[in-house]
Amino acid sequence: MLGSRRRARPLDRARRAAVRGAHRADARLPLGELARGVLRKVFPDHWSFLLGELALYSFLVLLLTGVYLTFFFDPSTAESAYRGTYAPLRGVRMSQAYLSTLRISFDVRGGLLIRQTHHWAAILFLSAIGAHMLRVFLTGAFRRPREANWTIGVTLFLLALLEGFCGYSLPDDLLSGTGLRIAQGIVLSVPVVGTYLDMFVFGGEFPGHDIVSRLYPVHILLVPGLLLGLITLHVLLVFTLKHTQWPGPGRTGRNVIGLPFFPQYLAKSGGLFFMVFGLLAALGALAQVNPIWAYGPYRPDVVSTGSQPDWYVGFLEGALRLMPGVETRLWGHTVAWNPLLTGVVLPGLLFAALYSYPFFERWVTGATGERHLCDRPRNRPARTGLGVAALSCYAVLLLAGGQDVIAFVFDVPVSGVTWVLRVGFFAVPAGAFWLTRRLALALQAHDRDLLTEGEETGLVRQGLEGGFHPDHAPLPVPARLALLVREVPVPLEPVDPAPGGGPRRLADRTRTALSAWYYRDRIRFPATAEQRRKIAATLAGPDREPPPPPGD
């Protein structure tokens, strides 16, 4: 009894000292208030909001496995004969970059597992970023006040593409060397300064002796540092700004309903991290990826048959194969349109469209207030159609990246496959946009029928006239509310001509025409004036008064 009291006294003193230290630290640095705010942060409970966390956790796996790989990788292009475990390549001269990658794969304990886990984590990282951006785009979560976060997300996607290409090129195998050769051709296609850029990047005539040693610090220091900083800023903005949520009972533009960060959401998110880590480890152990020993070391005079890049840059490969080889001589300079248009102009237009879209839609809509409730994709037919059209265009280019393989498998001429895909590059996105827009309007009409008639119960009733009619039951209140709460933008009214006409008049006419094209097709939902007032109050953000009820 006396011994237990003596042992308890040091513990009590340590506890009191810890409390006093915490109070003193909080008086100088108000961390307590900040911690309470973070712990009380509420996150909506919906699976689609976990796509961003998939990207975050795959990035953490990338960091952990990448640090391990740096201990054994040598980014030198100095050549020596291979004397390692893999018998088919013994005696073959190769760079130290390729040799050290072979050593990691066959001689380092657990090296192949870590290397393949790292590669699968990179694929999942880019896939999760793409899916997360698509979710944000289709639901309108990029609108005010989240334009800056959307811009950061697009920059993260761009940096992730660069990081993936750099890491893919480091082993100096035949496949990655072919990709570097294509990249060098794209750099050379830049008018006037292409040769200077080529010498700066490669350090001499291709393949040079500096490209791997220059890509290495970019891959392990520069781009990861930028990614880590931007991810931190992205997460901080998510904490600071009000999180978007799906319409539902009690959910408005002025609140967030969900799970508190601690302990419920933290436990749920932590479980997701271990699931992602376990899945990537299982893929690294069981699913072979990038077997560089099958390709062999890079030689400038050899190109592997059926070489295909990873999916995230496959669209550039497809664009290069579809674009005809056309050159133009201008003022003593040769402009090679194939690599210039597909490798410089096309990605530039893609990311310019991604960066500018939130501001473009706000300009077309004329809306200035904050938006905190997610749109159902079917309620924005034009935006959803544009997203599906972009995905279909990407799918055509990805198929074009393997047109030689398609021709070989189906025993058809390569030229025929190329021309079919060239036509598809223009026809498929247009058809996908039209079909998606019509399907979205049809789904809106179905929602209207559910609101007016209710949902089918599965019972059939026979009328007095002898006919059979399906029985309907009114929708539950939560389901009815989820359908009714939607923002229906109306086309902008034509404006009076500006004094003197000129560019301002042209811009106004263009804006009015685009607004009419975006929002001309609308399905009217049955709602009373009182219900429309409640819907308008639900949609109103904290920065504005509830708008007048929409007149749809």
Side-chain angles (χ1 to χ4, degrees), residues 13 37 79 82-83 86 96 132 136 166 191 275 308 385 429-430 502 513:
R13 287 196 295 269
E79 291 190 348
Y82 179 66
R83 302 284 185 240
Y86 188 65
Q96 292 301 310
H132 179 60
V136 172
C166 291
M275 290 174 64
Q308 304 294 324

Side-chain angles (χ1 to χ4, degrees), residues 141-497:
F142 54 80
R143 295 170 296 181
R144 182 182 175 189
R146 298 174 185 85
E147 301 96 334
N149 230 10
W150 168 263
T151 302
I152 292 172
V154 175
T155 307
L156 285 171
F157 186 57
L158 178 60
L159 290 174
L161 289 175
L162 176 61
E163 178 76 348
F165 179 76
C166 291
Y168 182 80
S169 304
L170 286 179
D172 198 31
D173 60 285
L174 187 58
L175 185 59
S176 66
T178 302
L180 280 175
R181 182 60 166 153
I182 295 173
Q184 189 245 1
I186 293 174
V187 171
L188 282 175
S189 70
V190 179
V192 182
V193 297
T195 53
Y196 298 98
L197 291 175
D198 174 57
M199 297 296 288
F200 174 77
V201 173
F202 290 90
E205 292 293 335
F206 185 84
H209 298 287
D210 299 329
I211 182 62
V212 175
S213 59
R214 290 180 179 180
L215 287 178
Y216 188 61
V218 171
H219 180 68
I220 69 169
L221 292 176
L222 179 60
V223 179
L226 293 174
L227 285 171
L228 187 60
L230 288 177
I231 288 174
T232 303
L233 180 59
H234 190 75
V235 173
L236 286 176
L237 286 178
V238 170
F239 268 86
T240 303
L241 303 173
K242 210 164 74 69
H243 207 292
T244 57
Q245 59 185 345
W246 291 98
R251 298 172 184 171
T252 70
R254 300 168 181 264
N255 66 6
V256 178
I257 294 179
L259 301 175
F261 178 73
F262 181 83
Q264 288 93 335
Y265 194 83
L266 185 60
K268 179 180 178 179
S269 185
L272 179 64
F273 167 73
F274 288 111
M275 290 174 64
V276 170
F277 194 95
L279 174 64
L280 291 175
L283 286 173
L286 303 175
Q288 185 182 82
V289 62
N290 197 24
I292 62 161
W293 52 88
Y295 309 142
Y298 178 65
R299 287 176 51 189
D301 59 333
V302 177
V303 176
S304 57
T305 303
S307 58
Q308 304 294 324
D310 278 343
W311 70 269
Y312 45 85
V313 290
F315 74 100
L316 290 178
E317 173 82 7
L320 284 167
R321 298 190 182 199
L322 291 187
M323 179 69 187
V326 181
E327 294 183 354
T328 304
R329 294 281 297 178
L330 294 172
W331 302 293
H333 296 278
T334 300
V335 179
W337 294 106
N338 178 297
L340 177 63
L341 291 179
T342 58
V344 179
V345 176
L346 178 63
L349 291 176
L350 169 64
F351 282 96
L354 289 175
Y355 277 117
S356 61
Y357 186 83
F359 310 98
F360 168 77
E361 184 173 299
R362 186 174 64 185
W363 177 68
V364 170
T365 308
T368 57
E370 295 184 3
R371 302 294 190 275
H372 296 285
L373 291 180
C374 295
D375 291 328
R376 299 181 75 198
R378 66 183 64 180
N379 292 333
R380 296 296 182 113
R383 182 204 294 158
T384 305
L386 288 175
V388 175
L391 287 178
S392 64
C393 182
Y394 167 81
V396 172
L397 292 179
L398 190 63
L399 287 175
Q403 57 38 305
D404 54 339
V405 178
I406 295 174
F408 176 79
V409 171
F410 293 98
D411 195 19
V412 294
V414 176
S415 59
V417 176
T418 302
W419 274 106
V420 168
L421 291 172
R422 283 174 179 172
V423 174
F425 176 74
F426 297 99
V428 171
F433 176 83
W434 178 84
L435 181 61
T436 302
R437 190 166 186 168
R438 302 314 302 175
L439 285 175
L441 293 172
L443 290 172
Q444 288 188 50
H446 175 68
D447 291 342
R448 179 193 59 194
D449 295 340
L450 288 177
L451 290 170
T452 55
E453 301 176 6
E455 56 184 351
E456 296 184 4
T457 62
L459 300 177
V460 178
R461 298 183 183 274
Q462 185 175 15
L464 296 177
E465 73 282 0
F468 293 91
H469 308 280
D471 190 32
H472 293 80
L475 284 178
V477 175
R480 186 177 181 84
L481 183 63
L483 296 182
L484 279 175
V485 176
R486 62 170 191 156
E487 187 175 7
V488 186
V490 296
L492 297 176
E493 295 293 335
V495 296
D496 295 331

